[in-house]
Amino acid sequence: MKVKFLFIFILASILLSGCSEKTDVQEDSTSGAVWDSVSSAENNVEYIDVSADWPAYTNVSALIKEANVVVVGKVTGISFQMLDTQTACPPTEISNLKDCLLYTIYDVEVLTSYKGTSSGTIKIRLMGGLKDIYLNEQLAALASFDESTIPVVAGMPKMEIGETYLLVLYQYEDTMPTPVNPGQGMYKLDDPLQKDAYSYVSPKEIISYFGEDKWTAFVSGEDTEK
């Protein structure tokens, strides 16, 4: 597969999607990432829009193979942090400033684990910030880097505190896990038959992949006790 990356997304996309060869991947516009030149100023805050694409997985087997962590979890907190896109870790004195990018960090209480993390609370990272909400928190994270422009990744879903999601995540070594891609990494569970943004995989298919008993437990409420 030919994948073209520009600027900081060369390693950022690798950290997000993994280094292994993809199978059953839709080879189309979901395979590149670029900065857009479009920016806007609203509420006295300036944003820069980032257009990003990731590989899309055409079936549940390929999707789960790519993931290190698959859980049902409830969002309990939202924060923002600058991370070095070369390492997916907080910047150090040797980090290049052009590689440092704002990320949205979600605290997630794990309710049920299907792969990877089994219990407790995990933090997951999503590239970019959020538009028109949590402005002070985002600007505070940017301030120590003398930045005031919030990067917003086009198409990146927003999760809400108190809501429960099925999360399909990739974890690079000991860094915070991140969705395998924006369209197939986070699923609301009000309609588990609803397929992802690419119309390939549904939450039911993901849960059932780990055994029909897992799906039976989910629909009976045994797997998502609050």
Side-chain angles (χ1 to χ4, degrees):
M1 177 189 298
K2 294 182 179 179
V3 183
K4 295 183 180 180
F5 298 93
L6 295 181
F7 198 42
I8 63 169
F9 286 98
I10 295 174
L11 251 134
S13 195
I14 292 174
L15 296 179
L16 185 138
S17 299
C19 302
S20 59
E21 181 180 354
K22 309 297 188 300
T23 57
D24 299 303
V25 175
Q26 182 69 22
E27 297 194 34
D28 54 18
S29 61
T30 61
S31 300
V34 299
W35 283 98
D36 272 350
S37 59
V38 178
S39 62
S40 62
E42 298 178 9
N43 298 328
N44 297 319
V45 176
E46 187 171 356
Y47 300 90
I48 183 166
D49 295 329
V50 181
S51 177
D53 295 308
W54 286 261
Y57 302 91
T58 60
N59 60 68
V60 66
S61 179
L63 179 64
I64 300 305
K65 181 180 179 181
E66 183 62 22
N68 304 98
V69 177
V70 181
V71 300
V72 169
K74 181 170 67 175
V75 176
T76 59
I78 299 175
S79 59
F80 303 89
Q81 187 175 359
M82 296 291 286
L83 296 178
D84 186 334
T85 60
Q86 301 296 307
T87 63
C89 295
T92 66
E93 63 277 1
I94 63 173
S95 295
N96 193 321
L97 288 179
K98 72 179 181 63
D99 294 324
C100 299
L101 185 72
L102 182 70
Y103 280 72
T104 302
I105 310 298
Y106 290 94
D107 296 323
V108 177
E109 177 190 355
V110 175
L111 303 176
T112 304
S113 176
Y114 300 105
K115 184 177 182 180
T117 301
S118 59
S119 62
T121 298
I122 62 174
K123 290 182 179 290
I124 70 172
R125 58 185 170 89
L126 274 68
M127 184 181 291
L130 301 176
K131 196 169 186 177
D132 297 330
I133 55 176
Y134 300 104
L135 301 180
N136 291 335
E137 292 85 347
Q138 294 181 81
L139 292 174
L142 290 164
S144 58
F145 289 82
D146 295 324
E147 294 288 343
S148 58
T149 300
I150 296 174
V152 178
V153 177
M156 187 68 75
K158 299 176 183 177
M159 296 196 294
E160 299 180 4
I161 292 177
E163 294 293 327
T164 299
Y165 300 85
L166 174 63
L167 302 171
V168 183
L169 309 171
Y170 173 76
Q171 185 167 12
Y172 177 73
E173 295 183 350
D174 59 351
T175 64
M176 285 183 282
T178 191
V180 293
N181 64 46
Q184 297 178 299
M186 297 157 284
Y187 298 81
K188 294 195 71 173
L189 294 173
D190 49 348
D191 182 3
L193 302 182
Q194 178 67 45
K195 291 186 181 292
D196 58 46
Y198 309 114
S199 299
Y200 291 143
V201 178
S202 69
K204 178 182 179 181
E205 291 174 287
I206 293 171
I207 294 171
S208 298
Y209 177 87
F210 296 98
E212 288 300 322
D213 60 319
K214 299 296 185 181
W215 173 248
T216 301
F218 172 79
V219 295
S220 69
E222 296 175 13
D223 274 351
T224 55
E225 294 181 359
K226 301 224 177 10

